[in-house]
């Protein structure tokens, strides 16, 4: 089981031109479909005079949630080549939008596929690639006198502290790499019986 995935940090832009058609490509880091819809609406408004606003996105560390859209181009000539570049770079949590300004000359299906693929590849080339960990959040409640023991486990395993409350009953929320989550759970559970 892998608990790492690759995404982009921020945004990147790419450009491709063929027979006077211009292809403007924009890559964005996204976490949810709502973000994708908001960004697409923005591009459709900004480039209202463009012939096509095609896109593809991939979401989730498992890379199972994706979509490709040709926006009126011949079937599979725009969205699929964009998605192909996302897959070739093994990226997720990414949206690539390619805006096409028609230059008056038809490119044909193979020409369109090359143009959308190259524009998307150029956008990815202008992005910083980031390797992230798949985390699991673990909540643990304990009595205040156990604080030192809990903090020793936190220090040794180095999870990220999401939140903590100290009262009669204390609670700590820890985010840790998915592959180490069971070990952390076991070590915390063991403290309850010491």
């Amino acid at each position: 089981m892998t608990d790492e995935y690759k995404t982009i940090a921020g945004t990147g832009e790419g450009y491709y031109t063929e027979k006077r058609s211009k292809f403007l490509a924009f890559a964005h880091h996204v976490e949810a479909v709502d973000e994708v819809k908001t960004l697409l609406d923005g591009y459709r408004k900004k480039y209202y005079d463009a012939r096509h606003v095609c896109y593809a996105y991939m979401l989730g560390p498992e890379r199972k949630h994706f979509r490709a859209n040709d926006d009126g181009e011949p079937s599979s000539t725009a969205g699929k080549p964009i998605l192909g570049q996302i897959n070739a770079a093994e990226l997720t949590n990414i949206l690539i939008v390619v805006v096409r300004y028609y230059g008056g000359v038809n490119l044909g299906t193979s020409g369109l596929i090359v143009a959308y693929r190259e524009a998307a590849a150029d956008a990815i080339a202008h992005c910083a690639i980031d390797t992230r960990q798949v985390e699991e959040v673990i909540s643990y409640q304990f009595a205040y006198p156990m604080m030192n023991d809990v903090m020793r486990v936190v220090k040794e395993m180095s999870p990220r502290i999401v939140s903590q409350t100290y009262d009669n009953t204390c609670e700590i929320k820890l985010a840790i790499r998915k592959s180490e989550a069971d070990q952390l759970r076991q070590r915390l559970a063991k403290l309850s019986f010491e």
Side-chain angles (χ1 to χ4, degrees):
M1 174 192 78
T2 179
D3 58 2
E4 285 186 341
Y5 62 94
K6 289 195 302 187
T7 188
I8 61 169
T11 60
E13 293 184 13
Y15 179 77
Y16 185 80
T17 182
E18 180 73 30
K19 295 180 182 165
R20 296 196 311 271
S21 277
K22 292 181 186 144
F23 297 84
L24 312 175
F26 306 92
H28 291 269
H29 176 82
V30 290
E31 297 281 338
V33 176
D34 292 345
E35 280 181 78
V36 169
K37 288 177 181 167
T38 302
L39 286 164
L40 286 172
D41 288 345
Y43 281 111
R44 287 194 179 108
K45 282 183 184 127
K46 184 175 180 180
Y47 297 100
Y48 65 91
D49 56 340
R51 177 70 68 92
H52 303 281
V53 178
C54 305
Y55 66 91
Y57 66 81
M58 176 81 63
L59 295 172
E62 307 83 30
R63 303 181 75 241
K64 288 186 176 147
H65 192 70
F66 59 89
R67 180 149 188 228
N69 185 302
D70 297 318
D71 191 37
E73 290 282 29
S75 182
S76 301
T77 59
K80 269 193 178 171
I82 298 168
L83 186 62
Q85 290 304 304
I86 293 171
N87 283 326
E90 298 177 341
L91 297 170
T92 190
N93 290 0
I94 183 173
L95 163 70
I96 298 179
V97 179
V98 180
V99 177
R100 178 186 183 192
Y101 282 98
Y102 185 61
V105 179
N106 288 339
L107 301 180
T109 54
S110 60
L112 286 171
I113 289 168
V114 168
Y116 281 102
R117 183 179 66 219
E118 293 303 315
D122 194 37
I124 291 170
H126 289 94
C127 292
I129 305 293
D130 205 6
T131 301
R132 299 193 181 175
Q133 296 176 354
V134 179
E135 291 183 326
E136 196 169 314
V137 176
I138 297 170
S139 292
Y140 182 65
Q141 290 185 335
F142 57 96
Y144 191 81
M146 294 171 59
M147 176 68 68
N148 289 341
D149 296 331
V150 171
M151 294 321 269
R152 184 176 61 249
V153 170
V154 168
K155 187 176 181 211
E156 289 169 3
M157 293 198 66
S158 304
R160 182 171 52 84
I161 298 173
V162 177
S163 68
Q164 48 193 347
T165 51
Y166 303 114
D167 211 358
N168 291 341
T169 302
C170 302
E171 182 177 22
I172 192 165
K173 282 189 180 171
L174 304 168
I176 192 161
R177 214 179 162 135
K178 201 171 184 97
S179 59
E180 298 173 9
D182 284 338
Q183 183 186 357
L184 178 61
R185 244 190 237 97
Q186 288 167 4
R187 289 199 55 190
L188 290 172
K190 207 168 142 186
L191 292 178
S192 302
F193 301 109
E194 284 181 357

